[in-house]
Amino acid sequence: QLQLQESGSGLVKPSQTLSLNCAVSGGSISSGGYSWSWIRQPPGKGLEWIGCIYHSGSTSYNPSLKSRVTISVDRPKNLFSLKLNSVSAADTAVYYCARSGEIKYDLFFDMWGQGTMVTVSS
Amino acid sequence: QSVLAQPPSASGTPGQRVTISCSGSSSNIGSNYVYWYQQLPGTAPKLLIYRNNQRPSGVPDRFSGSKSGTSASLAINWLRSEDEADYYCAAWDDGLSGRVLFGGGTKLTVL
């Protein structure tokens, strides 16, 4: 059974960089047919897609975050990562990693991590 | 304000049928698949419906999805207390550089 687990800093200072990893177990991140996404949810609010990395290694990002986001993959470690720079209080949220569809027009999220809370505060 | 519009709340009694709507535009629902997610309190979302009306294995057939033009709906038949959750629709949007859009979410209360 595939499992995803987020890890990283739970408290980030304003203007610094948020860094999270998503470890994939029970399957290989390099197997075809899927991409790997990050999604966030501010406290008490709805979901926001951050972006994804496809099997090819190419990426798609939410235009509203594109200038600050980098998603990368570490195949030997079977994990993918999120970096969000120049953070502010508006970036405080639960961050989820998820397995997603193979192509952008069919980007379903069928497996999710449990989520990790990241607070931006000095 | 979300580009995909959902009613903020819905309610029903056990055994009833409830529908949740999701309204978009030609650049998202009108030209791409719609997905539905269920988020139980304190947990990660779960894929409920994909490609407009397909159910992943393990999702009861009480849940069904439909799409017409630039709108979509999620129907829940034979409502149960454990269906009390937040429900989100989602679709790819072709505008700008493209992105996944989520609806604002509908909180379903089972009375």
Side-chain angles (χ1 to χ4, degrees):
Chain A
Q1 173 77 355
L2 191 80
Q3 291 187 316
L4 291 82
Q5 178 68 57
E6 303 92 347
S7 64
S9 51
L11 180 63
V12 183
K13 289 181 168 52
S15 80
Q16 294 193 341
T17 298
L18 179 161
S19 295
L20 296 174
N21 289 329
C22 180
V24 178
S25 59
S28 173
I29 201 170
S30 297
S31 59
Y34 298 99
S35 62
W36 305 90
S37 285
W38 288 96
I39 297 147
R40 69 180 183 179
Q41 185 171 35
K45 296 188 178 180
L47 302 166
E48 180 181 34
W49 178 71
I50 298 170
C52 71
I53 187 161
Y54 299 98
H55 179 66
S56 65
S58 63
T59 53
S60 287
Y61 299 132
N62 189 324
S64 67
L65 299 168
K66 186 174 184 177
S67 63
R68 300 193 290 130
V69 172
T70 301
I71 296 176
S72 58
V73 65
D74 186 330
R75 300 188 189 280
K77 292 184 178 179
N78 216 38
L79 63 80
F80 63 107
S81 302
L82 169 70
K83 289 190 186 302
L84 180 66
N85 56 38
S86 304
V87 298
S88 68
D91 296 310
T92 293
V94 174
Y95 284 75
Y96 295 101
C97 61
R99 187 177 74 173
S100 39
E102 188 175 19
I103 57 174
K104 61 182 181 180
Y105 301 108
D106 192 19
L107 219 61
F108 55 84
F109 308 109
D110 66 341
M111 300 293 294
W112 295 66
Q114 64 183 27
T116 187
M117 181 69 201
V118 177
T119 302
V120 179
S121 175
S122 55
Chain B
Q1 188 175 5
S2 302
V3 177
L4 300 184
Q6 294 182 238
S9 63
S11 63
T13 56
Q16 271 191 329
R17 170 186 167 94
V18 169
T19 61
I20 297 171
S21 62
C22 177
S23 179
S25 69
S26 58
S27 66
N28 43 69
I29 292 178
S31 53
N32 295 300
Y33 291 124
V34 177
Y35 309 87
W36 290 92
Y37 297 89
Q38 177 193 58
Q39 187 174 32
L40 297 170
T43 69
K46 169 190 171 183
L47 179 64
L48 209 56
I49 298 288
Y50 67 100
R51 294 176 191 160
N52 304 331
N53 55 19
Q54 302 299 302
R55 279 187 310 276
S57 60
V59 173
D61 59 7
R62 300 187 297 107
F63 294 90
S64 62
S66 63
K67 175 183 133 174
S68 178
T70 59
S71 294
S73 291
L74 173 72
I76 308 173
N77 289 317
W78 299 106
L79 197 62
R80 302 176 66 159
S81 58
E82 56 260 40
D83 298 333
E84 186 161 291
D86 293 325
Y87 292 85
Y88 294 90
C89 61
W92 181 264
D93 184 271
D94 295 324
L96 296 174
S97 303
R99 56 177 170 162
V100 173
L101 285 179
F102 285 97
T106 298
K107 182 172 180 58
L108 174 63
T109 301
V110 180
L111 302 170

